[in-house]
Amino acid sequence: MNTKKPEYADSALTHAELLCEIAVLREKLKSAEDYNEAEKNRIRLISKDLKLGFWEWNEVENQAVNYSEQCATIFGISLEELKSQYRTFDDFARSVHPNDLKRFHQDSAISNQMSLKTGEGFSYEYRIIRPDGQVRYVKETEHVTVNPGGEIISSFGTLQDITELKLTVKALQQSEESYSSLFFNLPLGTQEEDYSSVKKALDKLHKKGIVNIKTYLQRNPKFLVNLVKGIRCKKVNQALLNMHGADSEQEFNEEEEDVDKWWNDGWVDYFSNEISAFAANSSAYHETERVDTRIDSSRIEIRSITSVVPGYEENWERVLSIHEDITDRKKNETDLIEAKIVAERASQAKTQFLSSMSHELRTPLNAILGFSQLFEYDKAVSKRHRSNALEINRAGKYLMTLIDEVLDLSRIESGSLSVSVEPVPLLDIINQSLIWVSDMASTRGISIDFDALPFTDVLVDADALRLKQVFLNLLTNDIKYNRQGGHITIICDRNQKGRFSIGVSDTGSGIEAFQLDDLFQPFNRLGAELGEVESTGIGLVITKQLVELMRGSIWVDSTLGKGSTF
């Protein structure tokens, strides 16, 4: 009798293998779950970055199945609020902006059919109004699911917040509109060109190791001409057409594109400087003055400012140039230079003439003065004749002063009068000047108040001879135009910058405010020529110019009826 052996060993081995397989499957399941969770996290992060929400919809029952968290963020509410408040299509439609509602219904009605027909998602845009009143732009993309019978049973898709994109596009449109308005209405000639072919050519030069673009372009004018021929004019304004005498933009562009017609050596410098400036710094601008030609081949002088439009530094597709017609200005500058040369020659001739005439007049004038003085001491001459001789002597001295002052003024105006500026003891200059005018002041009974203490050891940078001339002019004026028995005061003030101010005040009649602007005009005595005081009318002019030659300044304060201070 045969007995069957039990299979315990084989059964135990099979069970162990099963447990091992289960462990492997569990490990794979955990890995799959971990991967799935990681994938969900990645999608969640991407969804957040793109402001992209996901949704699912039951088309049979017309109600929401699921919303992602980002959908709630787009609506500005929590996910729980979104799921409870937006269950049906009508709930969702109530959040659509009133101005977009009609189009929203139209797009929603055709979205399922279009998606079913094309097999691809159908996208449309609209605005929603959040519960807090904030308006957001959204883009919705919808896909559909069908049953075996071809009926749509569900849909799913994405909802993306595109507000920032829309606002950016709108801002760019407004900016472009403002730019275009400014471009076409600018009174200066304006031109926009495409330099992208130039940029590509320069990039190739850089790859070849060519660093000094300007030198390369100047040494290779044919290469530069070809670069310029590659530049394309995109648009110009009416002011530029008028500047060049072009009837239309087409005529202007045809002229611009015919480079061989207008090219000369001057353009080599212009374009090599401009292009090399952009190559060094695309954000910089190039400014120059140049000669151009109109459509009728007449010359025109232009000031140009050219720059790459911001945002196009990498490709130079938009280069803006602003041109100003400076033909008239240049002509005026040339005329002014020629007039200046003529005036300088005339001034030099006048100075030479006056210098010559002064010597010619001094010889007979000195004889007149000498003989008039002899009559004063001749006892045989009658009293009447002696009086006449005194009048001749006085008039001769006045004429001699006039000659000297006119000659000084002429030298100053022509620039031939030089001064030697060095440290000068101010007190000595003032004391010497006071000695010179003391007799003149005594004759009119005028007292001079001068406190020497503030001037002690004071050195000023000046020409000693000309500074004394300044003080003498001011003191003699104060004596002549002062009242009989009047008063003169010499004052001083030292400021913190090391400047020293000296004032000479009188008690005369003063000067009216409206006359002050004419005070330092040659031969303008402000009506004093009708009085009894003799004067050439150029002493103050010489005084002012001498002070300025010594790097000083002079001004006047005057009160009518009380006096003046220079």
Side-chain angles (χ1 to χ4, degrees), residues 89 92-108 124-129 135-139 162 166:
F89 179 81
F92 194 85
R94 280 194 289 270
S95 66
V96 177
H97 193 286
N99 294 342
D100 296 348
L101 190 57
K102 181 178 180 180
R103 183 162 52 85
F104 170 76
H105 281 294
Q106 292 173 345
D107 290 339
S108 297
Y124 50 99
E125 299 174 2
Y126 53 91
R127 287 170 292 173
I128 61 170
I129 302 177
V135 176
R136 306 298 292 181
Y137 288 85
V138 297
K139 178 180 181 180
I162 58 171
K166 282 289 185 180

Side-chain angles (χ1 to χ4, degrees), residues 60-125:
V60 177
E61 298 182 5
N62 189 26
Q63 65 178 13
V65 175
N66 184 42
Y67 292 115
S68 71
E69 187 175 345
Q70 192 59 34
C71 282
T73 302
I74 292 173
F75 277 85
I77 55 179
S78 67
L79 184 59
E80 291 73 18
E81 290 174 320
L82 181 66
K83 290 180 177 179
S84 63
Q85 296 176 20
Y86 294 84
R87 297 182 60 82
T88 68
F89 179 81
D90 291 337
D91 294 336
F92 194 85
R94 280 194 289 270
S95 66
V96 177
H97 193 286
N99 294 342
D100 296 348
L101 190 57
K102 181 178 180 180
R103 183 162 52 85
F104 170 76
H105 281 294
Q106 292 173 345
D107 290 339
S108 297
I110 64 172
S111 62
N112 287 350
Q113 298 302 321
M114 291 297 296
S115 181
L116 182 63
K117 181 178 179 181
T118 62
E120 298 177 354
F122 180 79
S123 300
Y124 50 99
E125 299 174 2

Side-chain angles (χ1 to χ4, degrees), residues 145-302:
T145 303
V146 298
N147 60 17
E151 297 175 333
I152 298 174
I153 57 174
S154 66
S155 60
F156 63 93
T158 60
L159 190 68
Q160 185 177 18
D161 188 337
I162 58 171
T163 305
E164 281 70 24
L165 175 63
K166 282 289 185 180
L167 294 178
T168 300
V169 171
K170 186 176 181 180
L172 286 173
Q173 290 174 341
Q174 291 175 343
S175 176
E176 188 64 28
E177 289 172 1
S178 299
Y179 167 78
S180 296
S181 176
L182 179 64
F183 181 96
F184 289 109
N185 294 298
L186 200 67
L188 300 175
T190 312
Q191 180 180 18
E192 186 178 306
E193 297 169 289
D194 183 350
Y195 273 53
S196 58
S197 60
V198 176
K199 182 66 168 65
K200 292 175 182 177
L202 293 188
D203 289 342
K204 291 180 180 178
L205 292 180
H206 282 301
K207 290 180 180 180
K208 293 179 180 180
I210 297 174
V211 178
N212 194 328
I213 298 298
K214 181 178 178 179
T215 301
Y216 181 85
L217 295 178
Q218 289 177 337
R219 292 177 178 176
N220 297 273
K222 290 184 178 180
F223 177 80
L224 179 59
V225 170
N226 289 329
L227 285 186
V228 174
K229 288 180 178 180
I231 297 172
R232 290 291 170 261
C233 182
K234 299 176 74 172
K235 58 183 177 181
V236 298
N237 69 351
Q238 188 62 44
L240 189 61
L241 298 182
N242 296 339
M243 190 182 299
H244 283 267
D247 294 329
S248 65
E249 186 171 345
Q250 180 181 352
E251 183 181 20
F252 176 84
N253 288 336
E254 289 174 354
E255 183 74 13
E256 286 283 287
E257 291 170 3
D258 191 1
V259 178
D260 293 328
K261 177 181 177 182
W262 48 263
W263 186 265
N264 57 44
D265 292 341
W267 291 109
V268 174
D269 287 336
Y270 173 78
F271 280 107
S272 61
N273 287 330
E274 178 193 75
I275 293 172
S276 62
F278 292 161
N281 183 2
S282 296
S283 300
Y285 66 90
H286 177 251
E287 180 177 359
T288 188
E289 294 181 0
R290 59 184 174 83
V291 176
D292 204 345
T293 54
R294 297 185 177 93
I295 296 296
D296 60 5
S297 299
S298 60
R299 287 164 56 89
I300 179 176
E301 295 198 55
I302 291 177

